[in-house]
Amino acid sequence: MDLEPYRLLYAYNRWANGRILDQAEKLTPEQLLAPNRRGFGSVRDTLVHLMENEYFWSGLIWPGKAIGIDWESFEFDPQDYPDVAAIRARWTEIEAGLAAFIDALTPEGENSPARIVEWTDGGPLIRRPLWPQLLSVAVHATQHRSEIAMMLTEYGCSPGDLDLAFDLWTQSADSAV
């Protein structure tokens, strides 16, 4: 199994998250917390949801630590993240774990995207191959980054282009001789 698409996707994910966080840092505290119909109600709350989702999947479900756990004990309270600096600090830890997980993928065997992942969410045992879950988390992040980008743009802090193609283009331009 070719692992480069997963590595590329998660490198892009880190890049796009960074662009969103960079612009969110420019908001006033009132803008960061202002209710909004998009996402999870505010820029801060949507950022925390996105960060929490990456933690749930990469820190609990994919490593096989999500059977018989109390999910509520792992939920992130947005109140614990009063500003973007607090979000970024926690997210840096999560992204490091996520990057280590992606780097440890192997074409075959126990660390392969083809392996079966099991978890429970209060109901019956769920069993799925890892690879669609890897894609799902990245797609989920794209959805919420789009919502956050709309909110940021309304405050005059657009993150600009967030497309994978733009990330790839800037990488190739940076490496041009």
Side-chain angles (χ1 to χ4, degrees):
M1 175 174 280
D2 185 5
L3 302 175
E4 285 311 304
Y6 301 105
R7 293 190 174 118
L8 173 80
L9 188 58
Y10 279 91
Y12 159 73
N13 198 58
R14 282 189 304 278
W15 171 83
N17 287 345
R19 286 181 65 110
I20 289 289
L21 289 169
D22 289 347
Q23 293 305 308
E25 283 180 331
K26 297 176 182 179
L27 299 178
T28 66
E30 294 77 21
Q31 291 170 327
L32 183 67
L33 302 175
N36 195 296
R37 294 184 321 268
R38 293 172 181 83
F40 277 75
S42 70
V43 172
R44 190 260 326 254
D45 291 2
T46 307
L47 285 168
V48 170
H49 168 74
L50 185 51
M51 176 177 67
E52 177 185 67
N53 188 67
E54 288 186 3
Y55 171 74
F56 277 172
W57 287 96
S58 68
L60 297 173
I61 297 173
W62 296 342
K65 299 176 185 175
I67 297 177
I69 65 170
D70 174 15
W71 283 101
E72 289 182 20
S73 69
F74 289 99
E75 289 180 2
F76 292 10
D77 182 351
Q79 301 297 323
D80 292 339
Y81 303 94
D83 54 31
V84 177
I87 294 169
R88 190 184 290 271
R90 179 69 168 113
W91 212 334
T92 297
E93 297 170 8
I94 293 166
E95 283 188 331
L98 178 54
F101 185 89
I102 297 298
D103 288 346
L105 290 174
T106 57
E108 297 177 10
E110 199 53 35
N111 289 333
S112 168
R115 78 174 165 89
I116 300 299
V117 179
E118 298 179 335
W119 71 94
T120 58
D121 62 359
L125 181 69
I126 300 168
R127 301 185 79 233
R128 302 274 190 279
L130 174 60
W131 71 265
Q133 308 314 311
L134 291 169
L135 297 175
S136 176
V137 169
V139 170
H140 181 263
T142 299
Q143 172 191 341
H144 290 304
R145 277 193 303 267
S146 296
E147 294 165 347
I148 296 165
M150 290 173 65
M151 291 185 264
L152 291 170
T153 300
E154 290 171 354
Y155 293 126
C157 298
S158 173
D161 291 318
L162 292 173
D163 293 344
L164 173 61
F166 185 77
D167 179 32
L168 294 173
W169 179 77
T170 57
Q171 286 178 36
S172 64
D174 291 343
S175 62
V177 177

